[in-house]
Each structure stands twice: as C-alpha cells, then as structure tokens.
Amino acid sequence: MRVLRWDEERIRRGSDELALLLADTVAGGASVGFLAPLTRAAADAWWRERADAVAARRLDVWVAVDDTARPAGTVSLALPDKPNSRHRAELVKLMVHRRARGSGLGRLLLATAEQAAAAAGITLLHLDTETGSPAERLYRSAGWTRAGTIPDYAANPAGELCPTTLYYKRLVPAAR
C-alpha cells in the first residue's frame, strides 16, 4: 500500500474513485458527516469541493492506493487561516475502505498525517470522532489524549444522534 499526498488536480481526476471510497465508508457505518444512503454524485461533488480547499491551501489530503492504484483510504489535515492558530491543524476524514480494514492502513494514514504536520511545524492536532467507534480505539492506541465528550453531536449514517469525543495530540516539530 502506498500513501501519497494528492494535489488539487489529482483529486479532481480521482474524485470518482474517491467518491466510491466515501460511499463505502458511510455504507460501512462510519460517521464521517454523511447520512446513508450517500449517492455517488453527492460523494463526487464533496470531493471536488475538497480539491478547491486544497488549491486554497486550507486542506492537505493523503490517499492510500492499493496494487490496482485504487484508493483504499484517505486522511486530511484542515489548516486554520487565522494568524493565532497556525500552530495547529484538525485531522479530518480518516477513511478506510471495508476491504482494507484490519490491515493497519488506518494507523499508517494517521502516522502519515502526524509526520507531515510535524514537518510543517504544527505542534498540536485535534479531531472529533463518534464515541465508541473503532476509530476511537485507534486514536487512543496512537497516543491521542481524550479531551471530552459532547452528547448528541452529530447523526450517524442511520440518522441517530450520537455523542462525539474530542481528542488532541501534541507534536514535536521536525528539525528543519
């Protein structure tokens, strides 16, 4: 499995395949901001909007591709635009296709984003995830610190309101 940083053009060219990954993630029950069923067109449009955010330097996206060069997972860092928050970023949309779950790909994507953030001088990452989800176990095992839980924060793919847990991780910036 190779993890590559995708630029605006690569995301636009690959938005259809990324849409399949997003739709599979939602169909598999992961709470990544969408309700089921998620249409391929809606997922494709969402990814095309991400390309705009990458072009504006508000988002960095990494995609894990399998031996067939199809996306098997992705992770992104949302970068703040305020001068007082340039030291931090939000880890968003860590997704692993159901065919690749349990292979360590989530951990690889997480480590890739953390290393890139440290290399960019970011010293604090934060995220939110559905309380009790498999992702929550991943973050805890990777050294993230639980900051708290918010009840009824977002609907899961089935439309039921669920709590979310906030996490953060301090990073040591890479030597330049």
Side-chain angles (χ1 to χ4, degrees), residues 12 27 44 58 87 97 134 170:
R12 288 191 197 288
D44 184 75
R58 293 187 320 267
H87 66 288
H97 196 283
R170 293 185 184 275

Side-chain angles (χ1 to χ4, degrees), residues 12 31 39 45 59 69 76 106 123 136 142-143 147 153 165 171 175:
R12 288 191 197 288
S31 179
T39 67
L59 187 72
S76 299
T123 58
E136 195 172 13
Y153 185 76
T165 301
L171 303 176

Side-chain angles (χ1 to χ4, degrees), residues 89-154:
E90 182 179 9
L91 188 105
V92 294
K93 304 301 185 248
L94 175 59
M95 295 182 259
V96 175
H97 196 283
R98 284 180 284 184
R99 73 176 181 273
R101 290 190 186 154
S103 68
L105 181 55
R107 186 168 301 282
L108 175 61
L109 287 163
L110 183 58
T112 298
E114 289 174 4
Q115 290 164 7
I122 292 170
T123 58
L124 181 67
L125 292 176
H126 63 97
L127 63 84
D128 70 87
T129 192
E130 184 178 340
T131 304
S133 69
E136 195 172 13
R137 287 189 302 276
L138 169 65
Y139 299 130
R140 280 195 313 264
S141 71
W144 287 69
T145 301
R146 181 182 179 276
T149 301
I150 303 171
D152 297 336
Y153 185 76

